[in-house]
Amino acid sequence: MKLPPQAIQRPYKLMTRKEIADGILEMQFEPEHPEDRIPEFLPGQWVNLYLSNPDGTPFAKAAYSIACAPSDVGADGRLTLGVAMARGFTQRLAALQVGDIVRLQGPFGVFTLPASSERLTFFAGGIGITPLRSMIREALSREDTTPITLFYSCKTMGSCAWLEEFRELAASHERFSFVPILTREEVSDWDGECGRCSAQMIDRHVADANGAFLLCGPTSFMESVIGILESKGVHSKQIHQERFS
Ligand SMILES: Cc1cc2nc3c(=O)[nH]c(=O)nc-3n(C[C@H](O)[C@H](O)[C@H](O)COP(=O)(O)OP(=O)(O)OC[C@H]3O[C@@H](n4cnc5c(N)ncnc54)[C@H](O)[C@@H]3O)c2cc1C
């Protein structure tokens, strides 16, 4: 029986690896051969990443959101992932060297950029930024005027991945507002918010309850933000979320 294209495990080569924030590794992979490229993905979708043991036997797999936008992907098919280092699987992943081969399968997932919306409001908690980065980069690459706001909650400034990139995107796109939030650190001259996300904090940056609200982060973070949004009259149909666990 022929497998659907998303189900095929395809060899991808590690091209770059860089610790872009405390405990967060940005890894870029390219298909080993042009024909190994995964089918086109939608912003926000994810892939399964399979690791092997040194003797070539299978080790394990884990899901990773594609952190680049479809419009970022060039002829080489290079994909960007952002990985929060945690336990056994991510330790193995972090030990990979440039040139090593993994297998990717996908893309999967229905947490994707809405086709159209009056406004897009994103809430990321920690490593939950990865699918949102893909969606925001894609949305900003399009010729439209939809206002976009990103609330990005991190424990400390050092743990915020792609912080400078989001600041630069906000500086160069009038319709994009970036609200970094620190929950466990006070930093002088901080350009964002401090403390847990609250109704008052959201009111300072988003005028009303219209448009789509897209969330990814720890369960407690998402439950708290959804509770606030619902108390403001946001309908559950306007809320979209991705869970990593
Ligand atoms: C849709 C989705 C998107 C996600 N996107 C991201 C993302 O963008 N970035 C991110 O950092 N995380 C993401 N995650 C979470 C990610 O899939 C992993 O859960 C996380 O990276 C696990 O890290 P860990 O080192 O704690 O894994 P572990 O808990 O060590 O292991 C994960 C799995 O690997 C296997 N495993 C681990 N060690 C062994 C062993 N010794 N022998 C055999 N099997 C073993 C087990 O099956 C285990 O369940 C996403 C999850 C989902 C569901």
Side-chain angles (χ1 to χ4, degrees):
M1 200 178 71
K2 202 167 172 231
L3 286 174
Q6 282 85 354
I8 299 172
Q9 295 177 28
R10 301 162 192 272
Y12 269 67
K13 187 188 286 190
L14 179 62
M15 304 305 291
T16 69
R17 60 189 299 290
K18 188 163 90 184
E19 191 164 352
I20 55 168
D22 297 343
I24 299 182
L25 210 54
E26 182 191 86
M27 307 182 93
Q28 296 187 324
F29 294 91
E30 280 182 16
E32 190 174 20
H33 309 289
E35 64 273 19
D36 296 326
R37 199 168 165 155
I38 60 164
E40 276 182 29
F41 65 96
L42 297 170
Q45 285 193 303
W46 52 274
V47 287
N48 271 325
L49 188 153
Y50 290 78
L51 290 179
S52 301
N53 291 308
D55 64 3
T57 55
F59 171 64
K61 68 166 183 184
Y64 292 96
S65 298
I66 302 171
C68 56
S71 53
D72 291 327
V73 181
D76 53 17
R78 185 178 288 209
L79 300 178
T80 301
L81 306 183
V83 178
M85 253 81 82
R87 294 175 293 268
F89 188 87
T90 45
Q91 279 168 19
R92 287 261 191 137
L93 191 51
L96 291 181
Q97 300 300 313
V98 168
D100 285 349
I101 302 288
V102 300
R103 290 191 167 262
L104 298 187
Q105 181 192 50
F108 303 113
V110 295
F111 179 68
T112 59
L113 190 62
S116 71
S117 179
E118 185 179 329
R119 184 170 51 230
L120 293 166
T121 306
F122 294 93
F123 292 89
I127 194 61
I129 192 64
T130 49
L132 305 191
R133 178 178 185 256
S134 174
M135 292 193 216
I136 290 166
R137 291 183 64 83
E138 185 68 18
L140 291 175
S141 77
R142 292 180 184 167
E143 293 275 326
D144 77 37
T145 54
T146 311
I148 302 170
T149 303
L150 168 62
F151 293 88
Y152 182 13
S153 179
C154 298
K155 288 179 182 158
T156 61
M157 194 166 88
S159 65
C160 286
W162 299 296
L163 181 62
E164 277 316 310
E165 176 183 305
F166 288 119
R167 284 180 173 143
E168 283 164 21
L169 286 171
S172 57
H173 294 80
E174 209 180 319
R175 68 190 175 102
F176 176 48
S177 306
F178 177 45
V179 186
I181 307 165
L182 297 183
T183 57
R184 298 230 186 127
E185 189 182 43
E186 287 188 10
V187 173
S188 58
D189 297 331
W190 178 240
D191 58 344
E193 296 275 3
C194 288
R196 300 214 169 265
C197 207
S198 65
Q200 295 75 11
M201 191 189 284
I202 295 173
D203 285 344
R204 283 195 281 276
H205 304 279
V206 177
D208 53 48
N210 297 336
F213 295 81
L214 297 105
L215 290 71
C216 188
T219 303
S220 58
F221 167 81
M222 292 204 286
E223 282 173 356
S224 154
V225 172
I226 289 171
I228 297 169
L229 294 177
E230 286 177 346
S231 73
K232 288 178 177 302
V234 175
H235 194 278
S236 59
K237 281 189 184 153
Q238 294 171 258
I239 300 173
H240 311 268
Q241 55 178 309
E242 182 78 286
R243 288 180 186 272
F244 281 2
S245 57

